[in-house]
Amino acid sequence: ICSFSDQNHAPSLTDVRHEQKRSERDNMSSDRREMADTCLIISGGPTDRKFAVEFVKERKYPYVIAVDAGLAVCEDLGLMPDLAVGDFDTFGLERMEELRKKEGWATDVHKPEKDETDTDLAVRSALRAGFHTAHLLGATGGRLDHELSNIHLMRAAKDAGLFMEIYDAKNRIFLLTPDDREHSVFLKDHIYGKYVSFLPLTEKVLGITLDGFKYPLHNKNISILENPSLCVSNEVPGERAEISFREGILICVESGD
């Protein structure tokens, strides 16, 4: 399947979520449906191949979306995508078509002159397919404008019902809201490195309480304009730590040296 977008404005992520196709998921077994909650998106930024090999080996994804140059990563990993998305100005449209004919995966091809980044379009595809979680590789470490765009994209995706996690060799990045208790608990044996940092995505984040962290807080407010680095480089000295807050959105970064 090869489609070209002629629209100047793609539907919002929320609209995509509301219009998502559920027929394939409805036909899945219960076990398969549980596995289908998370997809893998391989974006076109720099990707440490050694890290990516181990990352993919440890996880089983029912659906893989390659974003433009992310196809090169899939080639190197021996990973066949289910869908390739983008304008392919980096990977090359002819090269993409040759691979598609040989391997048979679907494509969603867009003109380079568009309002969305290729990664944004891939997230919309994940929503249309009915996923609730997406893991992203290749979303950091290259152009800073794309990296910042990907972090902000997590907000729109979360509002639309898709929880995004960005991974690279040293970092795991995701967003936290006050009602997200599932991701507010940090187990020492499960965090992605030694450090846990919280940065304000909204102008203010109110009422932050950190329990079980090396540097605790109680009902503290942080602001982009005043003290944005207050919650950077914390640690979990015991088995468990937890964060709570009453208003705003936080960027959480679990990282190692």
Side-chain angles (χ1 to χ4, degrees), residues 10-23 25 36-41 63 65 83 85 108 119-136 153-164:
S12 71
L13 291 179
T14 302
D15 290 340
V16 170
R17 181 63 172 178
H18 289 163
E19 296 171 3
Q20 65 181 288
K21 300 175 182 178
R22 299 179 180 274
S23 58
R25 287 169 58 81
D37 281 343
T38 303
C39 69
L40 175 64
I41 299 174
Y63 199 76
I65 302 173
L83 174 68
V85 177
D108 182 16
T119 302
D120 188 331
L121 295 169
V123 169
R124 295 167 192 268
S125 295
L127 281 163
R128 280 195 297 271
F131 292 100
H132 297 104
T133 303
H135 293 171
L136 272 71
L153 181 59
M154 293 192 292
R155 166 70 186 278
K158 189 173 180 66
D159 288 346
L162 181 71
F163 183 77
M164 291 172 56

